[in-house]
Amino acid sequence: MKQIFTEAYLEHDHVVNPQQSLESTQTANTNDANNLEVEGFSTQDTAKIAVENNSANDLTPEVDILSGTNEISNDVPEIDEVINKDSQEQLIVVEEQDSSNVVENCNADLELPNSYYQQKQEERDQYESVVVNVEETKKDVTYISDDYVSEEFYNSLPNELQNFLDLYVGREKDIVFLSVLGVFSSLLPNVRGFYRGEIHHPNLFIQIIAPPASGKGKMKLGLRVFDKVIKQITKDNKDFRIPGNSSSVRVIEKLNEMHGFGNLMFETEADSISGTQKNEWGNFSDILRKAAQHENISISRKGNNVDINCEYPRLSLLISGTPDQLAPLIKSIDNGLFSRFVYYAYKDVSNWAFYKEQPNHVECMKILEDFFESKYLKMQESKITFRFSDEQQQNFDTFFADIAIDIISINPKLLSSVERLGYITFRIMMMFTLLDKDNFVENDEISENAFNSALLLVPILLEHIIKTSTIYSVKSVTNDRLKMFFDKLPDNFTSAELKISKNLGSSSTIDKNLKLLVDLKMLVKIKHGVYNKI
């Protein structure tokens, strides 16, 4: 998957939909100007920005192919053995992305001992090649090393951020990075950009999904990095942070109070948010869907004398938890909220980790705190509007058009996730451009480094979207017998092989269950009688 998308980007010699009608372009530019005027920009500024903006055609619309009967046969017998054509001695070799050979100093004045470099290199080597016995751990090791963020990507980040992230390895490094990125997205009220004729701010929704005690708690470091900045904000704006267990009315009130700046909802225990969704007063899934794309939110409660209209909300949301904790928040991939999130999901089995104090951790943290504080203060001086260059727009559309084609063969219901991953990637590009530069101008283009770096990240994000979608698909299977049937299928098989084995019930039962599993997007029908697990 990752290789396909990377090649699609590197070989973008063709252009998708290069001819745009003059009429649609003029309409998009007019809408851009109107949107900016609503936000308080002057007519002169909006005219200049709108003329330069190029809108692109939408990606392929969502396709809903879920159909068929929900009737499940109850005559599936107990099965003792898993059907598997492969040898029981088969091994899976999981190879990690090439990592850097050394961990650089976080500052020229901070000397780290050679033993520290050696220790970190040994830890990285553990991720280079992992051999797993299929029979013993196939059910546990679902996510292979290809879903780690690559060292090539990390090497494109500013030194201050690189050096801090190099204190961590593997999953923890990825989680700390995503956490920093998510919190940073909430602190940029004066930053916006044009994407497909609409104004977008950098705000992101991020979920970390993993088993208990698997390292996802490192997410809290994202808050610590911005501790000084957040203290400055909350000193005068108590509504900046929104608790996850807030009522829907209180969420809208806080969004409305911070109009023009934005809000942050940060929860390391997903129960805080998902638990409230069971109550009428706390179900704010629709509010999150609208806030993700800055849509106006209104609420009226006659009994409580509540009447609020929140215009242009800006919310950044970071949550972590187990699949069971997050299930009440997004019940299926058909829920529009699913496609608005960045996901990072894994099932890695962690051994006991012997703790060792990281040398210069405090110093590296302080350097990164100062770096982001300086960026934040500079960005308060003026409003910044980003756009693609013409060449970037072409490359971007070609890149995502290829992804949209590929995703149809995997799960057409994820087309909406690909479409929204487009604006998510643009928002990330805006933030990366800010990190690249020391001086900012009012109207600016996405930097080439930011553009290329963000596209390196896209295949990883898409991998986690696909894998998270399977979590929700499995959750939707409530029949124990059907779940047993699915668990005992090999990864690749034909219906004829299942029927010959005579271990999965009658031919009609097998056909019914296979059809239902295809409808649930747990199996892919390659051709007549040939199936793959997703």
Side-chain angles (χ1 to χ4, degrees), residues 96-100 104 124 147-166 168-181 344 432 449 452-454 456-457 460:
E96 168 61 330
Q97 297 291 322
D98 290 336
S99 58
S100 57
E104 299 177 359
R124 290 183 184 282
D147 66 358
Y148 288 85
V149 178
S150 69
E151 288 300 316
E152 180 184 3
F153 167 78
Y154 282 128
N155 291 337
S156 70
L157 299 177
N159 289 334
E160 294 85 352
L161 183 54
Q162 275 191 57
N163 296 327
F164 178 72
L165 293 174
D166 279 342
Y168 306 92
V169 295
R171 297 295 184 200
E172 288 188 350
K173 183 173 185 176
D174 293 351
I175 291 170
V176 172
F177 162 70
L178 289 173
S179 178
V180 169
L181 186 68
Y344 192 85
F432 285 178
N449 181 64
N452 295 326
S453 297
L456 284 174
L457 193 61
I460 303 300

Side-chain angles (χ1 to χ4, degrees), residues 222-256:
L223 277 179
R224 291 179 56 188
V225 166
F226 297 97
D227 187 57
K228 291 196 289 188
V229 174
I230 292 177
K231 283 181 178 178
Q232 293 179 39
I233 296 171
T234 55
K235 182 178 180 181
D236 300 316
N237 301 281
K238 302 298 184 184
D239 291 311
F240 172 67
R241 294 283 304 275
I242 302 180
N245 59 0
S246 300
S247 68
S248 58
V249 173
R250 190 69 186 114
V251 170
I252 296 178
E253 287 176 343
K254 282 182 171 286
L255 290 171
N256 196 46

Side-chain angles (χ1 to χ4, degrees), residues 41 49 189-193 200-201 378-380 382-386 430 434 439-444:
F41 279 69
I49 297 170
N190 290 334
V191 178
R192 68 218 70 196
H200 283 259
H201 288 264
K378 284 184 178 180
M379 287 180 285
Q380 304 312 303
S382 62
K383 292 183 177 180
I384 307 168
T385 302
F386 287 109
M430 288 195 288
L434 294 172
N439 298 310
F440 309 109
V441 296
E442 185 174 348
N443 299 302
D444 207 349

Side-chain angles (χ1 to χ4, degrees), residues 113-356:
N114 291 333
S115 59
Y116 172 69
Y117 295 124
Q118 183 177 358
Q119 175 204 350
K120 301 309 292 183
Q121 184 59 42
E122 290 174 353
E123 290 175 349
R124 290 183 184 282
D125 289 343
Q126 294 176 7
Y127 290 91
E128 291 294 324
S129 179
V130 181
V131 180
V132 184
N133 186 285
V134 173
E135 182 179 2
E136 294 179 354
T137 60
K138 187 173 181 180
K139 292 184 179 180
D140 293 328
V141 183
T142 301
Y143 305 105
I144 61 175
S145 62
D146 199 38
D147 66 358
Y148 288 85
V149 178
S150 69
E151 288 300 316
E152 180 184 3
F153 167 78
Y154 282 128
N155 291 337
S156 70
L157 299 177
N159 289 334
E160 294 85 352
L161 183 54
Q162 275 191 57
N163 296 327
F164 178 72
L165 293 174
D166 279 342
L167 296 173
Y168 306 92
V169 295
R171 297 295 184 200
E172 288 188 350
K173 183 173 185 176
D174 293 351
I175 291 170
V176 172
F177 162 70
L178 289 173
S179 178
V180 169
L181 186 68
V183 178
F184 186 45
S185 76
S186 71
L187 306 174
L188 306 170
N190 290 334
V191 178
R192 68 218 70 196
F194 277 115
Y195 179 80
R196 295 183 175 273
E198 296 182 347
I199 297 172
H200 283 259
H201 288 264
N203 306 83
L204 299 178
F205 283 16
I206 297 176
Q207 279 193 36
I208 310 295
I209 308 173
S214 57
K216 60 184 181 292
K218 290 293 182 183
M219 191 179 83
K220 63 181 179 290
L221 289 171
L223 277 179
R224 291 179 56 188
V225 166
F226 297 97
D227 187 57
K228 291 196 289 188
V229 174
I230 292 177
K231 283 181 178 178
Q232 293 179 39
I233 296 171
T234 55
K235 182 178 180 181
D236 300 316
N237 301 281
K238 302 298 184 184
D239 291 311
F240 172 67
R241 294 283 304 275
I242 302 180
N245 59 0
S246 300
S247 68
S248 58
V249 173
R250 190 69 186 114
V251 170
I252 296 178
E253 287 176 343
K254 282 182 171 286
L255 290 171
N256 196 46
E257 287 296 325
M258 293 298 292
H259 173 70
F261 190 96
N263 303 79
L264 173 65
M265 185 180 292
F266 188 104
E267 294 291 348
T268 56
E269 293 296 337
D271 298 54
S272 301
I273 297 177
S274 59
T276 63
Q277 305 305 299
K278 302 174 184 178
N279 305 308
E280 182 179 356
W281 57 265
N283 191 335
F284 48 78
S285 176
D286 62 324
I287 298 173
L288 296 180
R289 292 195 298 272
K290 292 179 179 179
Q293 293 182 255
H294 315 310
E295 298 176 15
N296 289 2
I297 303 172
S298 299
I299 188 170
S300 181
R301 296 286 189 271
K302 184 176 180 180
N304 298 329
N305 195 26
V306 174
D307 192 1
I308 304 173
N309 180 35
C310 177
E311 297 182 353
Y312 210 80
R314 308 172 198 176
L315 174 66
S316 295
L317 171 59
L318 288 87
I319 54 177
S320 67
T322 65
D324 288 338
Q325 289 176 318
L326 291 165
L329 179 61
I330 304 176
K331 298 184 183 301
S332 74
I333 62 175
D334 296 314
N335 185 311
L337 189 56
F338 178 86
S339 57
R340 289 167 166 85
F341 270 92
V342 169
Y343 294 96
Y344 192 85
Y346 60 96
K347 291 183 178 179
D348 296 358
V349 179
S350 299
N351 295 323
W352 179 266
F354 290 90
Y355 177 76
K356 183 176 181 180

Side-chain angles (χ1 to χ4, degrees), residues 366-403:
K366 185 179 186 306
I367 289 171
L368 191 57
E369 284 181 351
D370 294 341
F371 171 76
F372 278 116
E373 183 182 27
S374 174
K375 291 285 185 182
Y376 172 77
L377 294 175
K378 284 184 178 180
M379 287 180 285
Q380 304 312 303
E381 299 172 359
S382 62
K383 292 183 177 180
I384 307 168
T385 302
F386 287 109
R387 66 187 185 282
F388 285 132
S389 67
D390 292 342
E391 182 180 4
Q392 287 172 344
Q393 184 69 68
Q394 283 189 349
N395 293 339
F396 187 91
D397 286 340
T398 300
F399 181 78
F400 272 92
D402 289 340
I403 291 178

